Amino acid sequence: MKKSVFKISKMDCPSEEAMIRMKLEPFNTITKLDFDISNRKLTVFHKDALDDIQTAIAELNFNEELISSETTEEIIVDEANNQRKMLWSVLLINFIFFALEMATGLISKSMGLVADSLDMLADSFVYGLSLFAVGGSIIRKKKIATMAGYFQMALAAIGFVEVIRRFLMTTEIPDFKTMIVVSFFALIANGLCLYLLQKSKSKEAHMQASMIFTSNDVIINSGVIIAGLFVLWTNSKVPDLIIGAVVFIIVIRGAINILKLGR
């Protein structure tokens, strides 16, 4: 077994990692791919064909550099089943809170809650993609990535139109109490998801992607709570609309990253 370590300068988000994973999937000589996001390193455990592997990575133009390649006796543990259970758990939590936030957002007239609920729904698609990343063909993954990316784009576009409509045509002030209470529980739920994902201690691309999106959710939940406080303080709908627009921008960025996987 060979252990080859690559420095990949442009690998700075989960989408690049997933692109590399799909690029290398046809190589049956590869036993495991170990991604290190923070240090932009990729460790490949393989039997042979190092030149072909390096050529495939180079085709992505991510400024790769082979740091080392040596024989190793490390035991590769298959954690696919544990990852599937973990991802199903966080997917279920996110989908439940999507329904809860959507319902309470419509009732309380809060664009922030509606936006956060759509973000939770978008994240459910990300977790679904992560589940497919544990197994499945390249063509299937690309189709799912493209569908999920365009779906998120559509959600964000509808959300922006609604934000503009409410800014120009409505005077209703959202219920700040509902905003704060529901977002607080959503914050706890996302904190639990983040704990479960970090507990796995996995550096696989799909697991790292899930952790990054969940970390963003924690920030978004905190933002909605702060917006609720500003609604109370200013007695205005504007803070709620601002946080709604910010969330939709985050959803669009996530959609763009996912669409890259379908190329």
Side-chain angles (χ1 to χ4, degrees):
M1 180 74 67
K2 292 285 187 179
K3 177 181 178 181
S4 299
V5 181
F6 292 87
K7 176 74 172 181
I8 305 180
S9 301
K10 293 185 179 180
M11 186 181 68
D12 55 6
C13 74
S15 60
E16 281 87 8
E17 295 182 22
M19 291 171 70
I20 293 171
R21 182 177 293 279
M22 288 191 289
K23 188 71 173 179
L24 297 181
E25 189 172 12
F27 290 85
N28 54 20
T29 58
I30 295 177
T31 304
K32 181 182 178 182
L33 299 175
D34 190 357
F35 291 91
D36 184 346
I37 294 179
S38 59
N39 294 312
R40 292 180 171 82
K41 289 184 179 180
L42 165 64
T43 302
V44 183
F45 294 87
H46 60 100
K47 295 178 181 178
D48 48 34
L50 175 59
D51 291 340
D52 293 336
I53 293 172
Q54 190 169 6
T55 298
I57 297 175
E59 290 175 354
L60 294 172
N61 296 317
F62 287 164
N63 291 349
E64 90 294 341
E65 176 188 355
L66 179 62
I67 298 176
S68 64
S69 184
E70 58 187 13
T71 302
T72 181
E73 296 182 358
E74 289 185 37
I75 299 175
I76 307 301
V77 179
D78 183 10
E79 298 181 348
N81 289 332
N82 291 334
Q83 290 181 1
R84 286 191 181 95
K85 291 179 181 178
M86 194 82 65
L87 289 168
W88 273 116
S89 297
V90 296
L91 188 154
L92 181 61
I93 292 173
N94 269 261
F95 194 79
I96 289 173
F97 270 87
F98 150 70
L100 176 63
E101 286 193 304
M102 176 60 74
T104 55
L106 293 174
I107 293 172
S108 66
K109 312 296 184 184
S110 170
M111 200 64 227
L113 284 178
V114 171
D116 195 23
S117 72
L118 294 178
D119 180 59
M120 299 278 274
L121 178 61
D123 287 347
S124 296
F125 277 87
V126 171
Y127 297 131
L129 285 173
S130 296
L131 282 166
F132 278 100
V134 179
S137 67
I138 294 176
I139 294 177
R140 190 179 188 184
K141 290 176 184 176
K142 287 184 176 182
K143 287 183 178 179
I144 293 170
T146 300
M147 289 175 59
Y150 282 124
F151 180 75
Q152 286 189 219
M153 284 285 194
L155 289 180
I158 293 171
F160 271 119
V161 170
E162 181 62 13
V163 167
I164 295 172
R165 187 192 72 81
R166 292 194 183 194
F167 183 79
L168 297 176
M169 302 179 62
T170 67
T171 58
E172 295 176 325
I173 298 175
D175 183 351
F176 70 88
K177 292 181 181 178
T178 303
M179 289 177 64
I180 294 172
V181 171
V182 175
S183 295
F184 175 75
F185 283 108
L187 180 63
I188 293 175
N190 278 313
L192 175 61
C193 290
L194 189 59
Y195 169 75
L196 292 173
L197 292 167
Q198 289 179 338
K199 187 178 179 182
S200 71
K201 297 181 180 179
S202 173
K203 293 184 179 179
E204 297 288 344
H206 52 286
M207 298 297 287
Q208 289 288 313
S210 300
M211 280 187 271
I212 287 175
F213 278 104
T214 303
S215 298
N216 289 339
D217 285 342
V218 170
I219 297 173
I220 290 172
N221 295 146
S222 302
V224 176
I225 292 173
I226 294 172
L229 293 174
F230 272 97
V231 169
L232 169 62
W233 182 38
T234 63
N235 194 35
S236 168
K237 65 183 179 180
V238 175
D240 178 60
L241 296 178
I242 290 175
I243 190 64
V246 169
V247 172
F248 288 128
I249 290 173
I250 293 174
V251 172
I252 287 177
R253 288 183 60 190
I256 291 173
N257 286 334
I258 290 176
L259 284 173
K260 290 180 181 178
L261 307 184
R263 294 177 181 174

